[in-house]
Amino acid sequence: MSSTPSTNELVTLGAPIALRDDSHVRIRQGHSADRDLLLRGFERLSPESRYRRFLAPMPELSESLVRYLTEIDHHDHEAMIALDEETGEGVGVARYVRDADRHEVAEVAVTVIDDWQGRGLGTLLLEVISARAREEGITTFTALMLAANEEMLDMLKRLDPVRIVDREAGRVEVEVPIPEIGLAPALRKVLQIAAGNDVAVPLADRHQAPRLADGGRRVRSSTQRRRSVVRQSRAGRGPRE
């Protein structure tokens, strides 16, 4: 059942919001009728943005992934969508999915289509999804990103209060507490590092085609993922993710 978010300290949902270049968006919750909106937005993402979001090449969205991204309960799984005020098209989305084992923790992702990056929309969406998470009792966000080099890892290690909680081939997962009000500068920086621009951890809503969007309801913990990798390695197969 959909819940109606309260007016947070930042925006009134559904009202026009001016960005730094004086373009305007409206922000609302995602819902099951957003299938076509999602697909059109995905088509406007560059291959690089898709790769950063999914951590793998993603030429198209599967039907199971589309269903997952639009079947939102607004409690354990929330999505906030930014719509272009002029056209009504989707230009960004922020999403969290609660960890099944730690109910106060959720994985977060923010995506802004390429030609809307650099306007502050990613930061706006991150603030809105942080406010929604607080309303649902979530105190900590995790984010998964490409760990391209040691310089990036050193930068993450210097960010307080960011904590690296998991690291596997080419990827790193970080954990950041959500402040009681507003936006954690460290969280914004983490997503900037992940995206390479604005605050756009690219779309899909599972940082890659398993994590936020594996078509299932249950989000695996870091420990479960590591165990899965070990089991598959012992069986002589590479990890699925």
Side-chain angles (χ1 to χ4, degrees):
M1 181 175 66
S2 173
S3 62
T4 302
S6 61
T7 301
N8 60 47
E9 64 271 16
L10 181 72
V11 301
T12 299
L13 297 184
I17 304 166
L19 302 180
R20 64 172 66 126
D21 66 342
D22 206 33
S23 56
H24 288 72
V25 296
R26 295 177 184 265
I27 297 179
R28 64 161 173 80
Q29 287 178 292
H31 49 66
S32 59
D34 286 329
R35 181 185 185 280
D36 291 342
L37 191 75
L38 173 69
L39 291 173
R40 290 195 300 271
F42 180 81
E43 288 300 318
R44 296 174 67 185
L45 287 174
S46 68
E48 180 182 1
S49 288
R50 295 178 189 181
Y51 188 88
R52 286 182 177 273
R53 181 62 184 85
F54 291 98
L55 304 191
M58 187 62 60
E60 61 183 16
L61 295 176
S62 67
E63 282 300 318
S64 62
L65 184 50
V66 171
R67 285 195 301 272
Y68 179 82
L69 298 179
T70 54
E71 292 176 356
I72 304 162
D73 65 14
H74 306 289
H75 174 61
D76 293 331
H77 182 176
E78 180 65 284
M80 306 302 295
I81 296 175
L83 304 174
D84 181 349
E85 170 70 1
E86 290 188 1
T87 67
E89 288 298 311
V91 292
V93 59
R95 186 182 308 269
Y96 75 70
V97 176
R98 194 188 303 263
D99 190 293
D101 300 316
R102 298 186 297 163
H103 290 180
E104 76 285 359
V105 177
E107 188 174 357
V108 66
V110 179
T111 300
V112 175
I113 65 171
D114 293 62
D115 56 352
W116 278 71
Q117 293 173 12
R119 308 187 195 193
L121 178 56
T123 299
L124 176 67
L125 282 166
L126 183 57
E127 292 191 67
V128 172
I129 201 66
S130 295
R132 278 294 296 130
R134 283 191 292 266
E135 291 171 350
E136 296 298 334
I138 294 167
T139 62
T140 303
F141 276 149
T142 64
L144 184 68
M145 66 185 70
L146 294 167
N149 51 52
E150 290 300 322
E151 183 179 355
M152 178 185 290
L153 287 173
D154 289 342
M155 188 181 303
L156 290 171
K157 290 173 183 176
R158 291 195 299 268
L159 285 176
D160 185 46
V162 174
R163 188 166 69 92
I164 296 177
V165 295
D166 197 11
R167 183 177 174 185
E168 39 184 85
R171 303 175 204 151
V172 62
E173 183 179 15
V174 299
E175 188 172 278
V176 186
I178 305 171
E180 293 184 2
I181 189 170
L183 174 64
L187 179 58
R188 182 178 185 276
K189 187 63 176 177
V190 163
L191 297 187
Q192 284 179 320
I193 293 170
N197 48 49
D198 206 32
V199 184
V201 177
L203 182 75
D205 290 349
R206 221 253 83 154
H207 296 298
Q208 63 185 52
R211 290 214 53 216
L212 277 182
D214 53 7
R217 292 288 184 181
R218 193 172 189 277
V219 179
R220 292 181 294 162
S221 67
S222 297
T223 299
Q224 288 172 311
R225 290 196 303 274
R226 285 194 293 270
R227 288 172 180 169
S228 175
V229 170
V230 170
R231 283 196 302 269
Q232 292 176 50
S233 297
R234 287 175 178 171
R237 299 188 301 273
R240 290 167 55 196
E241 297 185 349

